[in-house]
Amino acid sequence: MISDHIIITGGRALARSFAKINLTLDVLNKREDGYHNVEMIMQTVSLFDLVLVDKTGGGIGITTNLRFLPCNEKNLAYAAAREFFKAAGIDGGCKIMIHKNIPVAAGLAGGSGNAAAVLCALNMLYNTGFSAQQLCDIGLKLGADVPYCILGGTYLAEGIGEKLSPLPPMPKCSILMVKPPINISTAAIYEKIDSEYIPGRPDTESMQRAIASGDTPAVASHLSNVMSTVTESMHPIVRGIKEKMLKNGALGAEMSGSGPTVFGIFPDYASAKRSHDSFAYQFKDVYITAPVN
Ligand code: ATP
């Protein structure tokens, strides 16, 4: 649970709000409501934003270290606080400060993670006693990835991403993440996917077996994301990063979410670090992380 990563001191909560990667991502079909049914294995990784939440007498305030992020209800963290107070029936308030480390619009669910952190922090600060399931129900109103971000760890996500089944923890490894400086519209990628004709769908069951047996090379060899073909055709740099990671000794490499972040699973920290250093010449957003469970 993300609440395990929140420290409370008086009326203040300090939360670590982690990024996620998709070990697998399959798009099954489009629903009548416009959403897509998906099947994905999600993993929390150790790259995090810091989210500070102070209890106040009323109103919601928000500041971040990135000038281009909205500081109103368009910020998912702000919307989370509003939904929380509505669900709790409390006339409360809070001041939220977010220090972003997770690149924005990168396929890492950074915004959803911030919303999850705020929901859990307010639940603790206001002693509301919402269960994990109740928090997930509130979170789903904010976005399909928010319930997963509330739970964190290794999960199979189905439906629009909200039907969550826990999996054994991903085996320990070093995960290198590289985000090229391009902007991806998730909606545009979904539009280009014809879920009836997807070549090479992930083998989600084999990935679950690889995770259960703690077999890192098998996990790496089953990484798969049906969105990567679409994103790579528009942005060949994504494929280039994957290929370079594999040349650098990654056991496997794949794109997360709709991209553009690419991650590679390395057998040890030293090889991840060597690859990190070779990418750091070219890109600003390069991180060595590990699974968080
Ligand atoms: P996903 O993987 O769920 O598609 P993402 O990692 O691609 O998400 P985010 O970093 O969550 O994308 O940001 C997507 C959009 O949400 C951005 O355009 C940004 O302006 C907006 N946004 C709103 N609140 C936040 C927040 N707290 N942090 C980051 N982005 C936010």
Side-chain angles (χ1 to χ4, degrees):
M1 274 285 286
I2 184 74
S3 49
D4 297 338
H5 301 275
I6 299 179
I7 298 167
I8 303 282
T9 47
R12 164 171 284 189
L14 177 59
R16 283 191 283 174
S17 168
F18 293 98
K20 65 87 190 156
I21 54 171
N22 297 90
L23 301 181
T24 63
L25 194 165
D26 200 0
V27 179
L28 303 182
N29 49 48
K30 191 166 181 179
R31 302 156 31 129
E32 281 187 358
D33 60 10
Y35 287 98
H36 287 82
N37 282 313
V38 294
E39 184 175 68
M40 3 184 233
I41 297 183
M42 323 271 276
Q43 176 62 51
T44 307
V45 292
S46 57
L47 172 64
F48 58 87
D49 296 335
L50 280 174
V51 179
L52 197 61
V53 185
D54 282 310
K55 204 170 163 178
T56 64
I60 300 167
I62 185 158
T63 54
T64 82
N65 60 322
L66 298 181
R67 267 204 236 127
F68 61 87
L69 275 185
C71 282
N72 50 24
E73 66 283 348
K74 290 205 172 106
N75 193 304
L76 275 172
Y78 183 109
R82 198 188 46 201
E83 285 302 325
F84 173 86
F85 289 126
K86 203 160 96 187
I90 296 173
D91 188 19
C94 65
K95 208 171 76 188
I96 303 167
M97 267 184 282
I98 303 178
H99 185 94
K100 296 293 296 182
N101 297 308
I102 304 171
V104 174
L108 302 173
S112 301
N114 294 168
V118 166
L119 290 177
C120 294
L122 289 174
N123 194 35
M124 292 162 92
L125 287 173
Y126 279 90
N127 287 315
T128 9
F130 283 132
S131 65
Q133 185 55 56
Q134 285 172 309
L135 288 172
C136 287
D137 291 343
I138 304 170
L140 184 57
K141 295 185 187 143
L142 302 157
D145 283 344
V146 179
Y148 165 73
C149 291
I150 289 170
L151 301 178
T154 316
Y155 274 84
L156 170 68
E158 296 168 284
I160 61 165
E162 88 291 8
K163 286 188 193 143
L164 296 163
S165 314
L167 298 177
M170 180 186 179
K172 286 197 171 63
C173 58
S174 287
I175 302 173
L176 178 66
M177 309 196 346
V178 176
K179 183 201 161 274
I182 50 177
N183 294 316
I184 303 274
S185 151
T186 305
I189 303 292
Y190 266 119
E191 254 168 47
K192 289 202 167 179
I193 284 191
D194 181 349
S195 51
E196 302 275 313
Y197 300 100
I198 291 179
R201 288 184 183 277
D203 183 347
T204 312
E205 281 187 13
S206 294
M207 176 61 94
Q208 290 184 66
R209 275 196 295 275
I211 293 170
S213 54
D215 184 342
T216 305
V219 168
S221 72
H222 285 103
L223 297 175
S224 179
N225 179 345
V226 299
M227 291 188 165
S228 66
T229 329
V230 179
T231 306
E232 281 168 25
S233 68
M234 296 157 78
H235 303 284
I237 195 168
V238 169
R239 167 142 287 278
I241 294 172
K242 271 193 207 173
E243 283 168 358
K244 182 169 167 178
M245 280 194 190
L246 293 171
K247 262 194 218 145
N248 287 349
L251 301 169
E254 191 44 281
M255 189 182 80
S256 184
S258 54
T261 304
V262 172
F263 64 94
I265 295 184
F266 285 78
D268 49 56
Y269 179 82
S271 56
K273 176 75 170 81
R274 277 194 297 278
S275 186
H276 167 279
D277 293 350
S278 74
F279 278 108
Y281 283 111
Q282 200 182 348
F283 300 109
K284 175 174 75 69
D285 293 310
V286 186
Y287 313 93
I288 302 176
T289 66
V292 173
N293 278 102

